[in-house]
Structures are given as structure tokens and as C-alpha cells.
Amino acid sequence: MKNTAALSLAVILGTSLFSPFSHAAGDPEAGAKIFPRLCGGCHQVGESARPGFGPQLNGIIGWAAGTSANYVYSDAMKNSGVTWDRETLIAYLKDPKGVVPGTRMIFWGLSDEEKLDNLLAYLQTFSQ
């Protein structure tokens, strides 16, 4: 009986260690260091965030693209039909004009998966 319980526990732990859902999706502290360098010139987050060259990004997960208050979006963004979730944000940050052709966002793209995960983990710490 003890061997069966131990084996069951080992299988459960082993499976969870290698599950794609078992690891944290990024490091918010590392993302906090990336955001100012890559995003902060145009976007703000936090309690006093305001739109600038780009919209403020508090609560971006779940937003319909082109709908943040107090920002004038391109027609391409307003009409994109995109809702920002993890997958669409990763795709957009890798290739903005590939996801929303005609966007005004000027960004060369970010292909480093770890940096993307960290940046998204950081953005998820800000809700509206």
C-alpha cells in the first residue's frame, strides 16, 4: 500500500513538473526591467498611467483592440477584431504589422520567448 501511494505521488509530481501549465509564465520583475526600454517610450502602466504616443496598458488582457479610453486609434486597430489575450499579444509583439496590418505602432518586434513571457507577466500585474 505504501509503495502504491509513493508511486502515485511520484507520477503526479513528475507529470506536473513537465506539464506546460506547471511553470509560471514569466517573471514580472524581469518584465518590469524590459517594459521601460521596449515599451515605455510610448506606453504607460500603473495608477497614474495616461495615453501618450500609444494607449496606457492597464488591464490589456481581455481588451478588444482599439477600445482604450482617451486614445485615438488607427482605423486598422479599431477594425481589427482582435481581443488581446496571451496568444494575440505574443503574436503582435513579434510582428505588429503582421497581426494588425496598417497599425501605427512602430515596433520592430520581439522574438525572444523568455522576454515576451516576462513582459506579459509584468503587464498582467496591472488591472484597471
Side-chain angles (χ1 to χ4, degrees):
M1 184 71 147
K2 287 183 184 179
N3 288 341
T4 304
L7 181 59
S8 296
L9 180 60
V11 168
I12 291 168
L13 289 175
T15 303
S16 68
L17 288 174
F18 298 106
S19 165
F21 303 106
S22 66
H23 63 84
D27 177 359
E29 289 181 21
K33 294 175 184 170
I34 296 168
F35 185 86
R37 290 185 295 121
L38 295 182
C39 313
C42 298
H43 300 281
Q44 294 181 14
V45 290
E47 192 173 317
S48 62
R50 302 281 179 259
F53 287 112
Q56 63 82 23
L57 299 178
N58 292 333
I60 190 166
I61 305 295
W63 269 2
T67 62
S68 176
N70 302 322
Y71 186 76
V72 179
Y73 288 93
S74 66
D75 287 339
M77 188 62 73
K78 288 189 287 190
N79 299 319
S80 69
V82 170
T83 296
W84 298 122
D85 60 19
R86 182 171 183 76
E87 290 75 28
T88 55
L89 281 167
I90 286 173
Y92 186 73
L93 290 171
K94 285 182 176 181
D95 181 17
K97 294 186 185 315
V99 174
V100 182
T103 183
R104 292 189 311 232
M105 183 162 146
I106 300 170
F107 183 65
W108 59 93
L110 177 62
S111 60
D112 184 308
E113 295 290 334
E114 182 178 5
K115 287 181 181 178
L116 284 165
D117 284 342
N118 294 342
L119 185 58
L120 291 179
Y122 175 68
L123 289 175
Q124 287 177 320
T125 66
F126 297 94
S127 60
Q128 285 192 349

